[in-house]
Amino acid sequence: MTRVFFAWELGAGFGHLAPIRALARELKERGCELTFAARTLGDSLRLLAPYGRLYQAPVRLKDGRNPVRTQVSFASLLHNTGLDDPEEYAGRIAAWRHLMQDSKAQLVFADHSPAAIVAARTLDLPVCHTGTGFTVPPVLTPFPSFQPQMKIEDKVLLHNEAEVLKELNMSLDLLKLKPLGSVQEIFKGQLPGIFSYPELDHYEVKRPEPFLGLPNIAEGASPPWPQGGSGPKIFAYLRPMKNLKPILEGLKACKAQVVLRVTDIVPKKIAAFVRPGMTITERQIDFRKAAAECDAFFNYSPHNTVAEFLLAGKPGVLVPDLHERILTGRRATALGACLAPQADNSADVAAALNRIVEDPAPRKAAVAFAAHWHKLDRGTIIPRLAQAALKLV
């Protein structure tokens, strides 16, 4: 029996939990003993605890001491997520080490968990590093910029990495552990599991790591389309975010039938934006079913959801709320399959929603993306990765 440890340290939402659960199911069927250390415990209790022991992941509970205002590469992300405070980061590395040791882990699966990966390295544990192209950065020197519009020189990126490496090695020194020679060493020698496609990679560079594609991770109910309606169907997915009011006004003003799936928004608080031909639901919706049934989609540009709808050949309208999602939106719009209106302008949002179901060009681009990847058997992605990872033990 192989003892497998799952780490989830940064980020939030089903986009992290769904792949972890899919891997957990596969490994449990293969007879593995599983332990989870998850960033958030509410959904994790429901989705992960049935497969093994669940613990709170060692995470930062306060704001950083000296964050950089504009993150320019993965080195900046490492600084802002803990390395600006080497002593606190040392405590987190130590906590990850203890969790791995106490569970007698033989293999680590890490989803957006750099401190956990450092801990696993210090214990000589094999690591399978899973996630999107953003959370599994290209192991290149320097790390590529994820501010492509700023044209940042390599010497600036290398300087940033040198400063972050000093911080990391200060943390390791406090634990009397061997220093690293570069920040890239955090990720070297691992099995990467990038659940994405080259066209949607957040980094606009040729990377050495392979793309596995998006696994079959969609689960939930069928979308509750408005009864008796006619015309094109748009499946929308929103959460609390800046410019939510004009975005909802744009949805209300568009001509299509709409199902709006909301997360962390109480439907009655946005009831004023409901109109005939529009329904709002808090239920978990099977996005693969929604993608098959709709004519277009609308959301805040979460990578996995965008990929799911594009794989069904459906175009979309995106209003990203975080930099990672801005990068996803940049790639999807570069494909020609998505539109990105001004989210603070309800008329612009409504115009984009009307255009996405009337203009054949975005649909043609989405269909081309789907046709390019239709031969990839998504049902084999998780089993193949699990098998490859177990061979590391």
Side-chain angles (χ1 to χ4, degrees):
M1 178 185 294
T2 303
R3 292 181 292 275
V4 180
F5 184 93
F6 282 88
W8 170 33
E9 178 186 353
L10 303 175
F14 198 69
H16 297 277
L17 278 169
I20 293 173
R21 180 173 60 171
L23 282 162
R25 283 175 174 166
E26 179 68 26
L27 291 165
K28 194 72 173 178
E29 290 177 1
R30 292 171 181 256
C32 297
E33 179 182 305
L34 310 182
T35 300
F36 305 93
R39 178 174 178 82
T40 59
L41 296 181
D43 287 335
S44 297
L45 179 65
R46 175 171 56 90
L47 299 175
L48 302 182
Y51 302 101
R53 293 173 297 175
L54 175 65
Y55 296 94
Q56 173 66 59
V59 297
R60 169 178 270 182
L61 298 178
K62 59 183 180 179
D63 293 334
R65 297 193 309 178
N66 185 32
V68 296
R69 182 172 299 178
T70 302
Q71 297 182 38
V72 297
S73 75
F74 207 86
S76 303
L77 185 151
L78 290 170
H79 173 84
N80 277 14
T81 57
L83 282 172
D84 60 338
D85 187 345
E87 185 173 11
E88 191 268 350
Y89 207 76
R92 281 159 59 190
I93 293 172
W96 281 113
R97 282 169 53 89
H98 291 316
L99 284 171
M100 293 173 190
Q101 289 171 318
D102 290 349
S103 68
K104 296 180 172 59
Q106 297 169 282
L107 171 65
V108 174
F109 279 84
D111 183 300
H112 208 5
S113 300
I117 292 173
V118 172
R121 285 188 63 89
T122 67
L123 296 170
D124 293 322
L125 289 172
V127 175
C128 179
H129 187 191
T130 64
T132 67
F134 185 83
T135 62
V136 185
V139 184
L140 300 171
T141 303
F143 284 131
S145 167
F146 47 55
Q147 298 283 356
Q149 76 286 359
M150 294 176 65
K151 294 183 172 59
I152 298 168
E153 296 182 5
D154 281 359
K155 65 180 181 181
V156 175
L157 298 173
L158 289 168
H159 171 76
N160 291 348
E161 289 182 7
E163 294 301 308
V164 171
L165 181 63
K166 288 179 186 177
E167 296 169 340
L168 176 56
N169 283 337
M170 286 175 62
S171 298
L172 293 172
D173 184 63
L174 288 168
L175 299 172
K176 295 180 171 50
L177 295 170
K178 183 180 178 181
L180 298 185
S182 70
V183 286
Q184 284 75 15
E185 279 188 33
I186 298 172
F187 305 107
K188 285 182 177 177
Q190 299 171 8
L191 175 64
I194 303 178
F195 299 136
S196 186
Y197 304 87
E199 299 92 332
L200 295 179
D201 190 15
H202 300 78
Y203 296 93
E204 299 176 15
V205 298
K206 184 176 177 59
R207 62 154 76 216
E209 301 82 14
F211 294 91
L212 304 184
L214 183 68
N216 288 328
I217 53 177
E219 293 185 16
S222 297
W225 296 107
Q227 294 296 313
S230 61
K233 296 178 178 178
I234 292 178
F235 182 82
Y237 177 36
L238 294 174
R239 55 180 286 168
M241 58 189 295
K242 183 181 179 182
N243 299 317
L244 183 61
K245 184 174 182 290
I247 289 169
L248 290 169
E249 289 173 345
L251 265 178
K252 184 177 181 179
C254 81
K255 302 172 184 177
Q257 298 181 79
V258 174
V259 169
L260 172 57
R261 153 81 159 115
V262 293
T263 301
D264 299 326
I265 299 174
V266 179
K268 68 180 181 181
K269 291 188 176 181
I270 58 174
F273 299 99
V274 179
R275 56 165 169 81
M278 180 178 180
T279 58
I280 297 178
T281 181
E282 292 180 280
R283 293 185 67 187
Q284 182 179 327
I285 300 298
D286 185 322
F287 286 168
R288 197 165 187 180
K289 291 180 181 177
E293 296 174 8
C294 74
D295 295 289
F297 69 96
F298 176 57
N299 61 39
Y300 54 94
S301 202
H303 170 274
N304 291 355
T305 308
V306 171
E308 190 70 74
F309 282 82
L310 293 182
L311 287 167
K314 304 302 170 66
V317 175
L318 305 176
V319 284
D321 60 342
L322 297 174
H323 188 67
E324 177 182 349
R325 297 172 189 142
I326 289 172
L327 294 174
T328 298
R330 177 182 169 94
R331 300 312 302 271
T333 54
L335 278 173
C338 292
L339 305 176
Q342 292 294 321
D344 60 352
N345 186 320
S346 60
D348 201 23
V349 172
L353 289 166
N354 289 330
R355 179 186 163 194
I356 206 66
V357 293
E358 295 170 356
D359 185 349
R363 177 174 299 279
K364 183 178 179 181
V367 168
F369 177 86
H372 181 71
W373 291 106
H374 84 282
K375 290 183 179 179
L376 176 63
D377 185 352
R378 296 171 60 191
T380 67
I381 293 171
I382 292 296
R384 286 190 288 110
L385 182 62
Q387 182 176 358
L390 290 171
K391 288 181 179 180
L392 300 175
V393 179

